[in-house]
Amino acid sequence: MPQKILCVAEKPAIAKAVANHLAGGRVNTRSIQGNQYIKNYEFDFTFSQPWGNCSVTMTSVIGHLNGLDFEPDYRKWNSCSPEHLFDAHVIETVDDEKKAVADNITQQARYAKALFIWTDCDREGEHIGSEVRQAALKGNQRLQVKRARFSNTERAHVLAAALNPIDLDEHQVNAVAARIELDLRLGASFTRFQTLELQGMGESLTERVISYGSCQFPTLGFVVDRYFRVKNFVPEQFWSIKVIHRRDEIDVTFLWRRHRLFDRMAVIILFERCLSARTARVSKLQKKPTSKWRPLPLTTVELQKLGSMFLHMNSQQVMKVAEDLYTKGWISYPRTETDQFDKGIDLKKIIEKQVQSQAWGTYAQNLLNGAFRTPRAGRNNDQAHPPIHPVNFATPESLSLDGRRVYEFVVRRFLGCCSEDAKGEATTIEITYGDESFHANGLLVLQRNYLEVYTYDRWESSQQLPTFHLNENFEPTEANITDGETGPPGYLTEPELISLMDANGIGTDATMAEHISKIQERMYVEVRSRSGGTRTGAGQPTTRGARGGRGSRVGRGGDRDGAQATSGNSGILEFIPTTLGCALIEGYDNMGLATSLGKPFLRKEMEMKMKEICAGTKVKREVVQEVLEGYREVLVTAVRQVGVLRAGQDQFSEAQLLPRPSKNTDSVCAFLPTHKNFSTRMSNPNFPYPTSDSQAAQPLIYQPSALFPSDPSNPSAPFVLDGFIPQHPSHYYPHLFPQPTASLPASASGNPSLAHFYHAQIAAAQQWSQSQHEWQTASQHASPFPAADADADDSMSDAAEADGVQEQARLDAMQRQRNNDREVEAQAGDAYREQERVDAMQRQRNADREREARVGDLNRLWDDLSAHAPSMVARARRFGREVLRCESEGAVWAAWREGELAGMGAAWLDGRWRGLLLCRLM
């Protein structure tokens, strides 16, 4: 009787595919009790020695079998302080929903000689293999354990893997075990800390788990950082020179070599020199061949980035579709860092299978006919899987809509890698006009090559340049000064976010999409297409569970919740933080931590230590203790400065009382101040407190949900409701609400500007009167103490009075609590004031640098003037010093408009140079 080999795959689809390949289609299929998806496939196969001809049972798991959790005494939210979870004992058990799967492996192992593991060949697959081994050894301690090394389910590849078993990589097993333990301890401790400290700060946070993840928060930090870069961006005006020359009915635009300058005066002077020269000379004429390189072989990170850009699918959706294509045998394993093909892979055989395609079959045949080129080799090789490539040809009818698009992208990318670079001819013409250089470039695409099949790249010929000759002189047809403003960066898109995560070691190529989905599920960010329209993160706020706020770990191969962005031409997705997301990151940043949780450095260091475990230079326990000590210091500081976190979060709680911005607003963070200090005034115009002088000149209408500062004279005072019946805004800010007036004052007659101002004041007063009436009406309806009816009996009056006394007692208790909270906030305020002091010093240093730069600009201007008007230099220097003196006093513009300096300038400078200096000051 042949001996028995137990084979276990990571997914049911892989088990079925491998069994059919090994058995040649002669398979007996049996169901197991307790799980409808798991099947046992029985067949015979001849392995290499020493196993030889064997009876095989092939089964599978569904991702991870085991889960790690704290002992029952530590699982309740208030069972211990969060920092104690760093040292609490943890236990590993089989998940309840996986017990039937584990029991099946244990039972089948009793009659087997060897266990042959067919999990994915990466870190996570190695650890799942160790869990399978653990379950099998419970049934048979004498089992020999091997694993298969494979990267796709193509028949020849599977047969080769079956004949060459290898050992499990224990280093990778330990690395994943360390990561799982750290994720549990860090996630549970910081999630409990955040949730328990912040849940009482508003109804919206009462039943919400404010979760933490060591990859979630750096990912969120990237989004918040870009958001503030956009909101705090200050545009700067620049000027440039453009030269146009028309020849042979073609307008050639020559671009300035300096590109642009931020000094209008300097540009005007240089432009004047160009005009004075009248003619331009061709100083360089060059034609040379050029190429556009074909793409590198496809990696997981590139698949996610380009899928988001070209396929209009989010990264998690792309990976889900790619995994489905892999399990069905259409493409290779989609989780790889390798961007170079091994020399032993016969790429032409892969191309042969694509010849039958109607879309790219002709191009594939052309490659086989002699156009094939060896793909470029990148710098990365994970020594586990080849780059992503097609394994078999799939007809469009056999694929779903999304599967068809991802499969087509993978095939076209692979064929493009095996093609010749695109060829072209680049023409460069440089001219000297005055003392300045300008250039024009032209491109003529001669051979498209890989661009014929890889349609996602663009490289087009430009307009043909007319004939010029070296050292030729010509008078330009047109020369102009152009101006513009620098623009802010865009909000972070998914390809950019994936690139940042990859560069900073946040997650692995296999988990990046999950981390991005998680911050959407937690409602820390919202997603919208760049063309407009907001789509909120998937999922609803999660309620607290029994796992310390960490939630269950989703096993690979199982269903994962995520952001279900609809496919289609919806545009590139961009991420905008919610007020909760901004408040969390800003809160930790303002604590003065050596390394903020919103920065990627702690997690990147952890990933580096995981690699050291894989390399065998460190052991699991050593790495776990080192990482926990680093995070323990952060948690202790956060607990000590929780007031800072609450102060930032308080803004979120208050903002939730206001109406949400419409979807066409500039940002879902419209309720946050543009300045990064959350203790300053709010920027929402619904708040009565003015945010600018222009806003202070306008009356504000009270909204029932608006909040008022507890101390109107202190802009940093927290916003609170002034009892049950807040006063009208005019009570706090009488200067904002003009008294009604019926006619214009005499001083306004004959002065249109002044008359317009008083007309605006009259309109504002009328609006104020209307708002005051609305306020009184709303106050009557909102009052918790309605006036007693004159005809009501005495018992009702007494009851109302008693209720009033109880309500007053409750209000007094609330006021005492507010006073206590203010004491805590006052301590946090010291940190804010210190930060303000540092910011003020930095602003002063920046102002000094800017002043020095402007003085340098003036000196260079005087040098230019000296070459054309030597007799004016001394007077011009005195004039420049006067300008700087007034400028330092903040009065230069007013002084110029009043004419205090105009006469002085006119007396000293004449003609063109006076105009140039005026241009600089305007």
Side-chain angles (χ1 to χ4, degrees), residues 498-758:
I498 293 173
S499 296
L500 286 171
M501 296 173 68
D502 182 45
N504 290 278
I506 303 303
T508 64
D509 55 355
T511 60
M512 289 179 185
E514 295 180 22
H515 300 320
I516 294 174
S517 174
K518 188 63 67 176
I519 61 175
Q520 298 175 57
E521 293 176 17
R522 299 304 188 191
M523 295 187 178
Y524 295 157
V525 302
E526 292 189 352
V527 181
R528 71 181 183 188
S529 60
R530 178 155 281 182
S531 57
T534 303
R535 284 182 290 170
T536 59
Q540 298 297 324
T542 307
T543 56
R544 293 200 300 261
R547 298 198 58 164
R550 176 176 175 268
S552 60
R553 177 165 52 90
V554 179
R556 288 198 332 186
D559 293 336
R560 298 185 182 96
D561 295 332
Q564 299 300 321
T566 58
S567 59
N569 296 326
S570 56
I572 296 179
L573 300 181
E574 59 184 12
F575 298 94
I576 303 174
T578 62
T579 47
L580 175 58
C582 282
L584 287 172
I585 296 300
E586 289 297 305
Y588 283 113
D589 285 350
N590 291 335
M591 286 182 182
L593 299 169
T595 303
S596 172
L597 294 181
K599 307 302 180 186
F601 309 116
L602 286 173
R603 180 66 195 197
K604 185 174 183 178
E605 182 180 359
M606 184 193 302
E607 287 293 337
M608 296 298 295
K609 294 181 184 298
M610 296 300 109
K611 292 181 179 180
E612 291 179 344
I613 295 178
C614 292
T617 58
K618 286 193 175 183
V619 297
K620 170 193 168 186
R621 180 49 49 193
E622 177 186 3
V623 168
V624 169
Q625 290 301 323
E626 289 178 359
V627 173
L628 287 180
E629 287 305 315
Y631 277 92
R632 191 193 306 272
E633 181 180 350
V634 174
L635 182 59
V636 170
T637 304
V639 171
R640 187 168 57 247
Q641 299 192 36
V642 67
V644 178
L645 186 63
R646 291 173 64 90
Q649 196 59 44
D650 190 52
Q651 303 293 343
F652 167 77
S653 301
E654 291 167 356
Q656 296 308 298
L657 298 176
L658 296 173
R660 299 271 305 168
S662 61
K663 291 186 177 181
N664 59 356
T665 54
D666 183 46
S667 169
V668 298
C669 277
F671 299 131
L672 292 177
T674 54
H675 193 279
K676 296 185 67 173
N677 188 342
F678 277 75
S679 67
T680 57
R681 57 187 66 171
M682 301 289 284
S683 64
N684 189 329
N686 287 333
F687 280 97
Y689 190 79
T691 61
S692 64
D693 294 337
S694 61
Q695 184 179 343
Q698 302 174 3
L700 298 171
I701 306 303
Y702 173 77
Q703 308 230 348
S705 60
L707 301 172
F708 296 90
S710 55
D711 182 4
S713 63
N714 180 12
S716 299
F719 286 88
V720 297
L721 286 170
D722 187 20
F724 270 87
I725 311 178
Q727 300 294 325
H728 188 272
S730 60
H731 174 78
Y732 294 100
Y733 307 106
H735 64 285
L736 298 182
F737 296 86
Q739 297 299 320
T741 179
S743 59
L744 297 178
S747 59
S749 59
N751 191 331
S753 299
L754 195 58
H756 176 75
F757 170 78
Y758 279 107

Side-chain angles (χ1 to χ4, degrees), residues 154 330 345-358 360-370 372 389-394 407 411 414-415 418:
E154 193 266 335
W330 302 129
I345 299 179
D346 191 345
L347 300 179
K348 290 187 178 181
K349 283 189 175 181
I350 301 175
I351 297 174
E352 285 178 1
K353 298 179 181 181
Q354 300 298 325
V355 172
Q356 52 189 308
S357 170
Q358 296 181 356
W360 52 79
T362 303
Y363 188 88
Q365 185 62 55
N366 184 49
L367 293 179
L368 297 175
N369 292 340
F372 173 82
H389 63 275
V391 174
N392 290 301
F393 174 71
Y407 178 76
V411 173
F414 171 72
L415 296 177
C418 299

Side-chain angles (χ1 to χ4, degrees), residues 286 365 417 464 484 492 864:
Q286 184 182 56
Q365 185 62 55
C417 291
Q464 187 67 26
L492 204 62
D864 288 332

